[in-house]
Amino acid sequence: MTRVEVIGNATLYLGDCREILPTLPKVDAVITDPPYGILNLAGAGSTPAVRKSPRQQSSGVLKNRLLNRSDVRWDVAPSADALALLFAAAPLQIIWGGNYFALPPTRAMLVWDKEQPWENFSQVELAWTNLSRPAAIFRESATRGTPGKEHPTQKPLSLMRWCVALAKGCNSIVDPYMGSGTTGVAAVELGRNFIGCEVDPAYFDIACRRIEDAQRQGRLIA
Ligand SMILES: C[S@@+](CC[C@H](N)C(=O)[O-])C[C@H]1O[C@@H](n2cnc3c(N)ncnc32)[C@H](O)[C@@H]1O
């Protein structure tokens, strides 16, 4: 059964977003970072994008050392049906990893420049959006941007704050694949209502804690 945590203006669901999304009211924006479906291919080595990193070579798969976990079963890219659920949830979409999914042409791609010089690792990540604006770039080091990283594909908070700020006038935001809750922290910090879904109980608990901390911090500042 789905667990629901209400933390201030955030409502977090532990469960499969494909079951939860159709039950939710429509919101203003989807800002999300679904699994790209490339970690499971890490052993294939067929393209530079899926070649093993030194960390993967030693453990076989990408390992979240903090949680001492080495499974990437969650890394399954959303199907066409799951993408359709995202589009039904809100008029505005910011979808990280959009270059891996079957999405229509758009001018408003977002580029995260990870400021890392090694060409055998991805130097940028791309978000598909239907924003009405030109393509844009955000620079933030992948390592310096995620101090105390708790999810193997955690996004920098500064990057997700930028995304939330780009969603001008969007007071309610859903992240159906919230992982450690970075979108939720950014949304809460910028005073937006947030709904998040996460299927993995360990990452769900991390998201609950981070979003609760962000709310508490906001109250302290107020
Ligand atoms: C790329 S990660 C998101 C990381 C996040 N941006 C962060 O900063 O921590 C995608 C997350 O989606 C979750 N996930 C995968 N399939 C899901 C589904 N059907 N419903 C809900 N969550 C899902 C995975 O467990 C994983 O934590």
Side-chain angles (χ1 to χ4, degrees), residues 162-178:
W162 180 61
C163 293
V164 172
L166 287 176
K168 291 190 181 77
C170 292
N171 288 322
S172 52
I173 290 165
V174 66
D175 183 352
Y177 299 91
M178 73 173 165

Side-chain angles (χ1 to χ4, degrees), residues 46-162:
S46 53
T47 71
V50 298
R51 220 169 266 149
K52 285 180 173 182
S53 72
R55 196 146 58 93
Q56 289 168 314
Q57 280 160 9
S58 60
S59 66
V61 288
L62 191 71
K63 186 164 180 174
N64 185 339
R65 281 173 295 182
L66 214 94
L67 295 178
N68 194 26
R69 290 174 49 164
S70 56
D71 73 82
V72 285
R73 275 170 298 181
W74 54 266
D75 187 41
V76 177
S79 63
D81 287 349
L83 290 173
L85 290 174
L86 300 188
F87 281 83
L92 194 141
Q93 305 282 326
I94 298 180
I95 304 175
W96 283 99
N99 50 315
Y100 292 105
F101 315 138
L103 292 168
T106 183
R107 75 175 176 134
M109 292 300 282
L110 302 182
V111 180
W112 169 30
D113 173 355
K114 301 163 93 166
E115 292 189 324
Q116 66 91 357
W118 301 285
E119 287 179 12
N120 56 338
F121 291 94
S122 189
Q123 294 179 315
V124 299
E125 290 193 25
L126 302 175
W128 186 98
T129 85
N130 58 0
L131 290 164
S132 180
R133 56 157 300 129
I137 190 161
F138 186 86
R139 293 194 176 83
E140 173 66 279
S141 153
T143 43
R144 286 192 303 277
T146 53
K149 183 173 169 176
E150 297 187 82
H151 188 290
T153 62
Q154 191 167 322
K155 290 281 181 289
L157 180 56
S158 56
L159 175 72
M160 299 318 293
R161 272 198 210 114
W162 180 61

Side-chain angles (χ1 to χ4, degrees), residues 186-206:
V188 161
E189 285 186 356
L190 296 178
R192 317 291 175 92
N193 297 317
F194 178 73
I195 298 174
C197 309
E198 172 55 47
V199 77
D200 184 308
Y203 297 137
F204 180 79
D205 286 342
I206 291 169

